[in-house]
Amino acid sequence: MTMQASRIKESLRGGAVVGTWIQALDPTACEAAAAAGLDFVILDMEHGNFGDDSALHMIRACDAGGVDAIVRVPGAGIEKVKNALDWGAMGVLLPLVRTGREAAEFVRQARFEGPAGGARGGCPWIRCAKYTGVSYKDYVDWCDQNRQIWAVIETPQAVENIEDIARAGLDVLVLGPFDLANALGFQGDTGHPEVIRALDRVIEAARGQGVELCCTLFSADAAELGRQARAWKAKGVRFFTNPSPGALLFGAYSAFRRSCRGEITA
């Protein structure tokens, strides 16, 4: 049921941490990610097409497979942060963070009231505390050791304030080159020199504060994925995701069609 050791933290001891995005109601995708040996899935409640009940079922699928569930909440409201953690998610991810103050408030919402200085209220009957099957103190200790608090850096304002954001107590900063490129006026050109400079500033600030970095690899080709991963690793990035199952299915179906029609040859 929950209260498993974080697979992310275990994998960090060995190097790269690997996950994927899920944007549709698809517990099977969670099970497949776990079976493939991934460390985490990001359940995307900002851009995804599922709601609270569905997110809970997908967290259950993650638990059963032993893969960490990170919920990208649709905003910084305390209700969704509290809900996701009470359901048993290993962590929460804040989109569109812009300032250190926003990041610090998000961290506060994910931590319990009391000595941790948080705003999250407690309840002994929630799923992730096994409905009183474990002592509440053991549950709180488990949270302190395993809970993950992430934020996406995807706006010019976030880059401008990155030093303050990196000091806010987050565990991981997710690089958002696509939205950043759009915001800078380059219409999704993630390789534009100005976008690269902005990301390098984020990486420098995060590494200076000991915050981990995560990036999405934009390819379905194994050789290209390896090239991209090596380039990011050289900059100190240790967390990697691929696109959502929809994008992966599109690539696989397209390759299948082209192969059967003779458009791809060995």
Side-chain angles (χ1 to χ4, degrees):
M1 187 179 281
T2 61
M3 289 189 65
Q4 305 173 79
S6 169
R7 190 156 168 175
I8 289 171
K9 294 203 170 184
E10 290 177 355
S11 292
L12 266 175
R13 301 188 187 103
V17 181
V18 184
T20 190
W21 296 83
I22 295 179
Q23 293 180 315
L25 168 53
D26 194 353
T28 299
C30 298
E31 293 173 331
L38 298 191
D39 301 304
F40 66 92
V41 299
I42 300 173
L43 303 177
D44 188 354
M45 296 189 75
E46 182 192 20
H47 294 299
N49 58 7
F50 56 88
D52 292 358
D53 290 347
S54 302
L56 172 56
H57 292 318
M58 288 195 284
I59 290 171
R60 285 187 168 123
C62 290
D63 281 351
V67 63
D68 289 357
I70 306 295
V71 176
R72 174 152 78 169
V73 294
I78 184 66
E79 293 81 9
K80 288 301 180 189
V81 174
K82 180 173 62 178
N83 287 162
L85 295 174
D86 283 358
W87 297 333
M90 192 64 75
V92 285
L93 169 60
L94 174 66
L96 292 170
V97 63
R98 292 181 173 86
T99 68
R101 179 173 293 182
E102 289 177 356
E105 177 60 19
F106 186 67
V107 170
R108 194 174 76 88
Q109 291 172 9
R111 291 177 176 166
F112 284 112
E113 292 179 324
R120 181 185 170 197
C123 176
W125 307 299
I126 52 179
R127 174 180 182 269
C128 51
K130 298 190 177 183
Y131 310 109
T132 70
V134 296
S135 76
Y136 197 69
K137 179 183 183 305
D138 286 346
Y139 169 63
V140 171
D141 289 344
W142 175 85
C143 282
D144 289 341
Q145 295 166 14
N146 293 278
R147 178 198 53 228
Q148 303 278 305
I149 310 173
W150 299 15
V152 188
I153 305 301
E154 52 191 332
T155 67
Q157 296 96 324
V159 176
E160 184 64 28
N161 295 309
I162 192 58
E163 288 76 17
D164 290 339
I165 293 171
R167 289 191 292 264
L170 296 160
D171 296 295
V172 178
L173 293 180
V174 179
L175 302 175
F178 188 80
D179 279 319
L180 184 57
N182 287 337
L184 291 170
F186 304 122
Q187 298 181 324
D189 181 3
T190 58
H192 191 282
E194 192 168 333
V195 176
I196 298 300
R197 282 194 294 272
L199 294 176
D200 284 345
R201 178 176 172 182
V202 173
I203 292 169
E204 180 180 5
R207 294 187 67 184
Q209 294 297 321
V211 179
E212 295 290 344
L213 290 148
C214 177
C215 70
T216 299
L217 306 180
F218 292 93
S219 178
D221 178 76
E224 174 59 17
L225 284 171
R227 187 198 68 76
Q228 290 182 19
R230 287 189 297 273
W232 286 113
K233 284 179 181 178
K235 293 186 175 187
V237 176
R238 296 203 291 171
F239 284 61
F240 301 92
T241 69
N242 61 4
S244 71
L248 295 175
L249 280 172
F250 172 79
Y253 287 155
S254 297
F256 174 66
R257 171 184 55 78
R258 295 196 307 273
S259 297
C260 292
R261 292 179 178 171
E263 299 170 17
I264 299 177
T265 57

